[in-house]
């Protein structure tokens, strides 16, 4: 596949921490040949800049490995319609250089609409059925220092090592909040080496569906002859309800003959993120839909502004025949409707699918996912 310059720019972006920057206006430069018509060239250059802005936003929504694997699909199915995902933009500057119109644009990208498009294009990883994850991963952040871990009750504010947390969130997983658990832990649960049963006890207290237990090394390893190498990631994933081990990952990391600089730390982070992605991929395969995930669901839909919106929503959900056997409206009033749904999939899986459907003049947002219940809201698509 031939990589155009804007795709190469995305690859560079996702390889650096800048790809994880906070949301906000995206500044991008576009260009087009003048060919005797400056106005047309300016319009084409703006389109090019908006395309790059949407590409940069996609890089923030997807983990780097998934994005690299889906570049061609991203180009053909998403970025070809880049204007659809830009709410507004400002032309900051323009100039002509060597027969090229150059423009600088500040664009506000609709992250929700873009996320839906990425899911519809099949680029996002299907993690919707995994539920909430409790991370019991100790962090080895410097050679010779003891690992740090939040369940010690002190010394670590975060509920997971930074790279581990970022990767899991980028894959669409919800992380359980460890703050309520940290208070009042019994002494036997404050140890680095806890048993599977103790890990499951914490997972159930946190309302988690899956617990990750193990350790991650977040510093580059300087390899010495005859020295035992600490794994980059040594973690197992356990299903909270059954106690079944879903996946194990013991991954080596990059090795260095001498203390590396910033580049070495970046390589280590990238390898750790990939090891986490590989672990999640194993979990997705090992945790197929169970019979208890299927059955009757209640859907509460708020924000209904017209009968046309309501009928469109019902038409779209009823068309999901591989997931929904029947959809029956139970009540309607005050801008709210309640439905009884006979589903073939879990509430979380159905929510994922409802979120990415095309409703035309409005969007559907998922407010809450619980066993047997969904809370949704209609949003105007401006």
């Amino acid at each position: 596949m031939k990589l155009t310059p804007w795709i190469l720019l995305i690859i560079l972006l996702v390889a650096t921490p800048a790809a994880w920057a906070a949301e906000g206006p995206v500044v991008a430069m576009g260009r087009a040949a003048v060919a005797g018509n400056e106005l047309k060239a300016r319009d084409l250059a703006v389109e090019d800049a908006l395309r790059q802005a949407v590409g940069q936003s996609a890089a923030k929504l997807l983990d780097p490995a998934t994005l690299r694997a889906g570049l061609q699909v991203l180009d053909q199915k998403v970025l070809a319609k880049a204007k659809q995902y830009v709410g507004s933009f400002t032309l900051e500057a323009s100039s002509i250089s060597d027969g090229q119109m150059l423009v600088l644009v500040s664009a506000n990208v609709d992250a929700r609409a873009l996320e839906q498009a990425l899911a519809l294009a099949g680029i996002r990883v299907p993690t919707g059925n995994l539920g909430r994850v409790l991370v019991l991963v100790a962090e080895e952040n410097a050679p010779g220092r003891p690992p740090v871990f939040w369940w010690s009750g002190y010394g670590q504010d975060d509920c997971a090592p930074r790279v581990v947390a970022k990767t899991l969130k980028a894959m669409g997983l919800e992380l359980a909040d460890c703050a309520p658990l940290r208070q009042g832990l019994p002494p036997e649960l404050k140890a680095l080496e806890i048993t599977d049963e103790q890990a499951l006890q914490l997972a159930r207290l946190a309302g988690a569906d899956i617990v990750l237990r193990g350790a991650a090394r977040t510093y580059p390893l300087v390899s010495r002859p005859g020295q035992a190498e600490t794994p980059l990631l040594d973690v197992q994933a356990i299903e909270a309800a059954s106690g079944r081990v879903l996946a194990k990952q013991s991954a080596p990391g990059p090795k260095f003959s001498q203390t590396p600089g910033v580049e070495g730390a970046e390589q280590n982070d990238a390898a750790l993120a990939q090891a986490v992605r590989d672990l999640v991929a194993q979990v997705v395969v090992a945790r197929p839909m169970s019979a208890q995930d299927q059955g009757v669901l209640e859907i509460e839909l708020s924000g209904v502004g017209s009968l046309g919106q309501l009928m469109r929503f019902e038409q779209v959900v009823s068309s999901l025949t591989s997931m929904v056997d029947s959809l029956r409206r139970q009540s309607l009033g005050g801008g709210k409707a309640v439905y009884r749904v006979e589903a073939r999939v879990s509430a979380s899986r159905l929510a994922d699918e409802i979120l990415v459907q095309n409703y035309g003049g409005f969007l559907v947002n998922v407010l809450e996912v619980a066993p047997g219940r969904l809370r949704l809201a209609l949003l105007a698509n401006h």
Side-chain angles (χ1 to χ4, degrees):
M1 177 182 67
K2 183 179 179 181
L3 298 182
T4 55
W6 65 264
I7 291 185
L8 293 173
L9 174 63
I10 292 175
I11 293 177
L12 291 174
L13 281 169
V14 300
T16 68
W20 304 100
E23 292 184 12
V26 180
V27 178
M29 187 176 74
R31 67 180 65 217
V34 175
N37 189 331
E38 290 188 19
L39 290 178
K40 183 178 180 180
R42 184 179 290 110
D43 289 343
L44 292 174
V46 168
E47 289 184 11
D48 182 46
L50 295 180
R51 187 179 173 92
Q52 292 195 43
V54 173
Q56 291 179 40
S57 297
K60 297 175 185 177
L61 291 172
L62 299 170
D63 65 277
T66 301
L67 182 55
R68 288 189 181 94
L71 280 179
Q72 188 170 10
V73 176
L74 177 69
D75 184 19
Q76 297 173 353
K77 294 188 177 182
V78 179
L79 296 182
K81 306 174 183 177
K83 282 186 176 180
Q84 293 183 13
Y85 316 114
V86 177
S88 62
F89 69 89
T90 301
L91 178 60
E92 303 288 356
S94 64
S95 66
I96 298 176
S97 175
D98 296 328
Q100 295 276 313
M101 174 66 71
L102 305 178
V103 301
L104 190 67
V105 168
S106 175
N108 292 303
V109 178
D110 187 339
R112 186 186 305 280
L114 178 57
E115 187 173 13
Q116 290 179 333
L118 293 170
L120 282 171
I123 299 176
R124 301 207 76 182
V125 178
T127 58
N129 190 44
L130 299 187
R132 183 180 297 167
V133 178
L134 178 65
V135 182
L136 297 175
V137 176
E139 179 178 4
E140 301 175 22
N141 55 25
R145 290 186 186 173
V148 294
F149 50 100
W150 68 260
W151 63 98
S152 66
Y154 60 89
Q156 188 184 38
D157 294 331
D158 297 330
C159 297
R162 178 185 59 84
V163 175
V164 175
K166 277 188 174 181
T167 305
L168 292 173
K169 290 177 181 178
M171 299 184 77
L173 289 167
E174 178 190 358
L175 303 190
D177 184 8
C178 67
L181 300 179
R182 189 183 282 112
Q183 303 298 324
L185 281 177
E188 62 269 18
L189 291 181
K190 294 184 179 182
L192 176 62
E193 298 293 338
I194 60 175
T195 66
D196 284 356
E197 186 53 46
Q198 289 171 327
L200 291 172
Q201 179 183 348
L202 287 172
R204 290 161 188 155
L205 288 172
D209 300 280
I210 293 172
V211 57
L212 304 183
R213 187 172 77 86
R217 173 170 53 79
T218 57
Y219 66 88
L221 181 67
V222 178
S223 183
R224 307 294 186 195
Q227 179 183 6
E229 296 182 357
T230 306
L232 185 67
L233 183 73
D234 191 10
V235 169
Q236 61 179 0
I238 309 171
E239 190 174 47
S242 65
R244 180 168 62 102
V245 175
L246 299 171
K248 293 181 179 181
Q249 178 78 320
S250 183
K255 295 181 252 183
F256 301 90
S257 58
Q258 57 186 2
T259 303
V262 175
E263 183 179 345
E266 291 176 351
Q267 291 181 32
N268 199 81
D269 285 355
L272 178 56
Q274 184 59 53
V276 173
R277 285 191 290 270
D278 291 344
L279 175 68
V280 173
Q282 294 178 48
V283 174
V284 169
V285 172
R287 197 170 188 258
M289 186 65 61
S290 64
Q292 66 182 16
D293 288 328
Q294 307 173 38
V296 177
L297 303 178
E298 179 185 275
I299 294 181
E300 179 185 297
L301 179 68
S302 60
V304 180
S306 68
L307 183 60
Q309 288 180 333
L310 194 69
M311 294 179 66
R312 177 58 181 165
F313 172 80
E314 293 174 359
Q315 178 187 33
V316 170
V317 176
S318 296
S319 71
L320 304 175
T321 54
S322 64
M323 300 183 177
V324 174
D325 285 328
S326 68
L327 174 72
R328 297 178 184 177
R329 191 192 308 156
Q330 302 287 91
S331 63
L332 174 64
K336 184 180 295 185
V338 177
Y339 296 91
R340 182 182 186 276
V341 181
E342 293 185 8
R344 300 182 183 182
V345 298
S346 68
S348 61
R349 179 69 185 90
L350 182 58
D352 286 347
E353 197 65 26
I354 288 175
L355 182 68
V356 301
Q357 297 304 306
N358 180 11
Y359 300 94
F362 62 91
L363 301 172
V364 175
N365 187 28
V366 178
L367 302 180
E368 180 186 1
V369 180
R373 186 169 182 265
L374 290 179
R375 283 203 312 120
L376 311 174
L378 297 190
L379 301 174
N381 187 7
H382 296 307

